[in-house]
Amino acid sequence: MKEQLTIAVSGLNNTDNPGPGIPVIRALRDWKGKDIRIIGISYDHLEPGLYMHDLVDKSYSVPYPSEGSDNLLLRLEYIHQQEKLDFIFPNFDAELFTFMKLAPKLEQMGIKTFLPTVDQFEERQKYRLSEFGEKYGLHVPLSVTVGSVSEVTAAMNQFDFPVVVKGKFYEAFIAYNIEQVYSYFNKLQSKWGLPIIFQQFVYGNEYNVTALGDGKGTTIGAVPMRKLFITDKGKAWAGITLDEPRLLEMTHKLIAANKWRGGMELELIKDKDGKLFIVEINPRFPAWVYLPVAAGQNMPAAAVQMAFGEDVKPFTTYDVGKMFVRYSFDNIVNLSDFQNISTTGEL
Amino acid sequence: MLSWVLITSLSEGLKKCNMNVRIKSNVAVSDSGFVFDPSTGDSYSVNPIGVEIIQLLKEKSSTDDVLKSILERYETDEKTIDKDLFEFIQLLLNLQLAEKV
């Protein structure tokens, strides 16, 4: 692998609902012995990462995945002509499917990715979680997918309140009665479309694991974390790494079973009896991925190494009790920067 | 009924219950009284006597030995220490920082 790499990264929305882009970039910047040029990929002109010039060397606007993969590919071809990309790190759930489909074309262009297969991506979807748990022998809460409002009452007969009402890609609400279920159903449907997922609420403590699979069944890295402070959007504002072997065992079991390729985040609940339930599997690194890096496992760098065919040995240790605490910061921005990204799509 | 059992139990104290416990091996406690449970991420603050008891529970195999060590160092009666120590150990068990052996 070259010592100088040009890597495009999306998810620069380092807001109160942060994307993983900036933490992934910090991880790549920490990669010793590598000279990394970072190209930001942006969907919105006010994504904070666009203006973090100490982390992002150059940025380009790209069309939303909903505008079609051909438009995205055309834009990526242009960016590649300018920058000679070596690797692309897509970080949004909503764009991953498109990038997985484009991966063979990108490979032909000389751009590598390290993503799950479409089958792996699809089977861990929120609306297929029950099936997924059954297939791999993992505990998951009862989940039912609802494709229309007429199915809500029948579906709800299978649950006890409270019930978690989840959007297809993002957002979840806890409903304590049927009126709230209908209200959240309509809210999520108008924002993210159908289907909506109902999931049995599990009382207990939430835990998260950032992990990296090599695509052959080996877990290259895994670090568990407990959120210490949660925002009103349900995002971790502070967290701490844990020494909880059962969380790691479950991660290894899952990756060994479905041969996950790439980064992932597991969201788990431990109930009062100590039983662990997987409540969600996110198909990319989370926004707290820099915590595992600081704890000793640079998983984003390892993902790039594997994409280039390097033999990466699994991480075996990490620092327990390592914490992160987020902060907000008013980055002062010149109008010319905003003007450039708004008018030329480049910054 | 439950509260009656609890009160009876508390009034019995450590010695009558013949209870031996140990602090979980991965629980960390600093000299300043910061206690960290790395399996849950929970942390607590304890006062100097709390630190002393936790350190003793890490070293001693029997709570009776812990009781004797405290008695040797502090000028108070055995009954009071027995009761207070029992309550503190119950708290450690409830928080899953300690386990019965």
Side-chain angles (χ1 to χ4, degrees):
Chain A
M1 188 173 26
K2 298 187 296 184
E3 287 202 355
Q4 287 184 320
L5 290 175
T6 302
I7 300 179
V9 181
S10 71
L12 306 181
N13 53 327
N14 218 41
T15 62
D16 60 341
N17 183 8
I22 294 300
V24 162
I25 291 168
R26 290 180 71 197
L28 297 172
R29 294 267 185 230
D30 279 6
W31 190 357
K32 287 190 174 59
K34 286 287 172 213
D35 180 8
I36 309 282
R37 179 169 162 77
I38 296 291
I39 305 301
I41 291 177
S42 149
Y43 293 96
D44 187 292
H45 301 152
L46 284 175
E47 287 183 19
L50 287 169
Y51 306 99
M52 296 181 176
H53 301 309
D54 52 338
L55 290 171
V56 182
D57 295 299
K58 175 91 194 248
S59 294
Y60 293 85
S61 293
V62 293
Y64 283 108
S66 56
E67 292 178 30
S69 58
D70 289 346
N71 286 342
L72 180 63
L73 185 62
L74 275 175
R75 183 65 172 156
L76 292 173
E77 281 170 350
Y78 169 77
I79 297 169
H80 187 46
Q81 278 171 11
Q82 308 302 310
E83 304 293 344
K84 305 283 180 287
L85 300 177
D86 295 301
F87 188 92
I88 294 186
F89 236 120
N91 285 306
F92 281 119
D93 290 13
E95 70 182 355
L96 280 174
F97 188 84
T98 308
F99 273 96
M100 286 185 298
K101 287 282 189 191
L102 289 177
K105 285 181 182 166
L106 295 172
E107 180 80 36
Q108 282 172 7
M109 289 159 59
I111 307 171
K112 294 194 179 298
T113 54
F114 199 69
L115 300 171
T117 65
V118 171
D119 285 347
Q120 289 169 348
F121 180 83
E122 284 298 321
E123 72 174 0
R124 55 86 248 167
Q125 291 277 23
K126 292 177 193 184
Y127 51 84
R128 293 179 63 182
L129 201 60
S130 289
E131 201 182 315
F132 184 88
E134 207 169 299
K135 182 175 175 186
Y136 296 117
L138 301 163
H139 296 304
V140 300
L142 172 66
S143 300
V144 171
T145 303
V146 178
S148 79
V149 72
S150 62
E151 299 169 28
V152 170
T153 304
M156 284 308 299
N157 287 335
Q158 302 172 61
F159 292 94
D160 296 320
F161 285 109
V163 168
V164 186
V165 185
K166 294 183 165 191
K168 186 179 178 181
F169 290 119
Y170 302 104
E171 284 197 284
F173 299 97
I174 299 169
Y176 293 87
N177 53 51
I178 193 73
E179 288 77 21
Q180 286 183 335
V181 169
Y182 276 104
S183 165
Y184 296 140
F185 183 98
N186 290 328
K187 190 171 181 176
L188 290 166
Q189 181 187 2
S190 62
K191 197 163 179 183
W192 303 111
L194 292 169
I196 304 294
I197 301 98
F198 295 157
Q199 190 176 76
Q200 185 61 58
F201 181 84
V202 180
Y203 288 96
N205 288 326
E206 183 185 337
Y207 298 90
N208 300 71
V209 180
T210 289
L212 172 65
D214 70 350
K216 299 168 194 162
T218 301
T219 302
I220 298 298
V223 175
M225 181 274 288
R226 167 106 180 265
K227 295 175 184 176
L228 295 176
F229 187 99
I230 299 173
T231 68
D232 55 2
K233 286 197 166 80
K235 304 298 166 187
W237 197 257
I240 189 163
T241 58
L242 302 177
D243 175 19
E244 173 47 292
R246 289 173 57 214
L247 293 170
L248 296 178
E249 279 166 25
M250 190 171 258
T251 307
H252 285 256
K253 185 178 176 184
L254 190 157
I255 289 179
N258 92 335
K259 298 184 169 46
W260 186 265
R261 186 174 191 263
M264 66 151 60
E265 181 195 29
L266 290 180
E267 295 181 13
L268 305 110
I269 303 272
K270 191 194 282 182
D271 74 5
K272 60 179 170 40
D273 301 320
K275 191 171 169 184
L276 283 171
F277 291 86
I278 294 180
V279 292
E280 205 157 307
I281 302 167
N282 293 316
R284 34 97 196 135
F285 288 126
W288 58 276
V289 68
Y290 192 71
L291 178 67
V293 177
Q297 298 195 4
N298 193 334
M299 292 186 240
V304 178
Q305 283 177 280
M306 286 192 285
F308 280 88
E310 290 199 358
D311 182 27
V312 177
K313 297 267 182 300
F315 294 103
T316 53
T317 60
Y318 59 89
D319 295 339
V320 173
K322 188 73 85 179
M323 292 173 62
F324 76 89
V325 182
R326 289 199 176 121
Y327 66 100
S328 58
F329 180 92
D330 298 339
N331 195 13
I332 302 304
V333 173
N334 290 324
L335 182 62
S336 57
D337 282 358
F338 182 63
Q339 176 190 311
N340 283 340
I341 192 71
S342 304
T343 55
T344 67
E346 296 183 24
L347 179 59
Chain B
M1 184 65 183
L2 183 65
S3 56
W4 181 82
V5 171
L6 185 65
I7 291 164
T8 308
S9 170
L10 287 175
S11 66
E12 279 179 354
L14 200 62
K15 286 189 86 175
K16 285 184 185 169
C17 288
N18 193 25
M19 185 171 58
N20 282 342
V21 298
R22 71 171 165 220
I23 298 294
K24 286 184 177 171
S25 59
N26 61 352
V27 168
V29 57
S30 73
D31 292 342
S32 62
F34 183 79
V35 180
F36 173 59
D37 180 353
S39 60
T40 62
D42 289 326
S43 56
Y44 310 90
S45 285
V46 293
N47 62 16
I49 183 71
V51 176
E52 200 174 332
I53 293 168
I54 289 173
Q55 294 294 7
L56 284 166
L57 284 170
K58 281 195 159 201
E59 295 159 12
K60 308 278 184 186
S61 56
S62 116
T63 46
D64 213 29
D65 291 342
V66 175
L67 185 69
K68 281 177 193 159
S69 296
I70 301 287
L71 255 178
E72 282 167 15
R73 286 175 44 80
Y74 295 92
E75 288 179 7
T76 187
D77 63 280
E78 182 176 348
K79 194 177 172 188
T80 303
I81 292 181
D82 184 44
K83 181 174 171 296
D84 289 351
L85 187 59
F86 179 77
E87 285 182 24
F88 185 63
I89 287 172
Q90 283 294 345
L91 185 65
L92 294 174
L93 288 167
N94 288 342
L95 295 172
Q96 299 187 346
L97 296 169
E99 55 199 353
K100 288 182 182 174
V101 289

